[in-house]
Amino acid sequence: MRLDHEFTVPAGVEDVWKAVIDPEYVAPCMPGATVTKVEGDTFSGTVKVKLGPISLLYKGTGEFLKKDETAKKVVIKAAGKDARGAGTASATVTLTLTERDGGTHGAVATELSVTGKPAQFGRGMISEVGGKILDQFAARLAEKLGTPEEPEPEPERPQLRSVPPIPESESIDLVELAGDSVAKRLRPVLAIGAAIAAFLLIRKLLRR
């Protein structure tokens, strides 16, 4: 499915550009995401997603297919799989930055494929949730860019390295982001799950 979103950051386009092409710098700004390794233009990491009482951990890889500094355009291809085999996700994301009103406007075009539990949301709901996630991303990026860092000489980076431990990222709560409409859809599923749990508990007690 094709999804289109926009965001704005009250920072210069050059600063935003340097941030978005650095996975280690920008990953903490994306809800639920953690980068674990960077090797040239490829990287690997995890994304934690919460769907009501269900927690999913996607492990995957990404690659910068294009970095056009003049046009401020970057294309990223990423793919991941839930650690327990509950579904997959793959996306090709095209991000274009432009200067606007003293800040930076980002246009994001995403070709997305999702299988498993999150796919039940449908295109409209996924688009809405994606927009809210990008709003959170833009707010975190703006906050980070607004915090000056102590200048220090940057050592030459080896091609292959492990990323230092990063504070554990909170899961993306899809139900919280999507609102009441999704909660209503999930109530029958949650009710069935609760009934099954109660049945198993009673059966266990009777066996004692």
Side-chain angles (χ1 to χ4, degrees):
M1 67 182 77
R2 164 72 181 248
L3 304 173
D4 293 285
H5 298 97
E6 298 179 348
F7 67 88
T8 57
V9 179
V13 68
E14 291 294 338
D15 291 332
V16 177
W17 170 257
K18 291 176 183 177
V20 299
I21 62 173
D22 184 345
E24 293 179 44
Y25 183 90
V26 80
C29 301
M30 182 62 71
T34 301
V35 169
T36 55
K37 184 190 294 184
V38 177
E39 181 182 1
D41 282 338
T42 64
F43 54 91
S44 59
T46 62
V47 177
K48 293 189 293 184
V49 177
K50 186 178 180 184
L51 183 57
I54 303 169
S55 294
L56 305 174
L57 177 65
Y58 286 90
K59 295 182 178 181
T61 59
E63 179 183 5
F64 287 92
L65 300 181
K66 181 179 182 179
K67 293 180 183 177
D68 187 337
E69 185 173 2
T70 302
K72 295 296 184 289
K73 182 176 182 179
V74 61
V75 180
I76 303 171
K77 184 176 182 179
K81 183 178 181 180
D82 175 53
R84 290 174 294 186
T88 62
S90 62
T92 300
V93 181
T94 302
L95 168 62
T96 305
L97 303 177
T98 55
E99 187 175 355
R100 181 179 296 182
D101 300 327
T104 300
H105 171 266
V108 185
T110 306
E111 291 291 343
L112 177 67
S113 176
V114 181
T115 67
K117 292 181 176 67
Q120 68 183 274
F121 280 81
R123 184 186 184 284
M125 198 64 68
I126 290 176
S127 180
E128 180 182 348
V129 170
K132 292 181 179 180
I133 291 173
L134 273 181
D135 288 343
Q136 293 181 13
F137 164 77
R140 293 182 183 186
L141 180 60
E143 182 179 0
K144 192 167 186 178
L145 287 172
T147 304
E149 298 182 353
E150 291 292 330
E152 57 180 357
E154 185 176 345
E156 186 176 345
R157 297 182 179 180
Q159 281 297 99
L160 176 63
R161 64 193 186 279
S162 295
V163 178
I166 298 174
E168 190 172 354
S169 179
E170 295 182 2
S171 302
I172 303 172
D173 193 330
L174 298 184
V175 173
E176 180 181 339
L177 290 174
D180 293 339
S181 59
V182 173
K184 291 177 182 178
R185 294 184 191 179
L186 291 179
R187 279 176 193 146
V189 177
L190 298 180
I192 292 172
I196 293 173
F199 171 75
L200 293 175
L201 177 60
I202 292 172
R203 187 173 67 174
K204 185 176 181 180
L205 293 173
L206 290 175
R207 287 179 175 176
R208 291 182 179 178

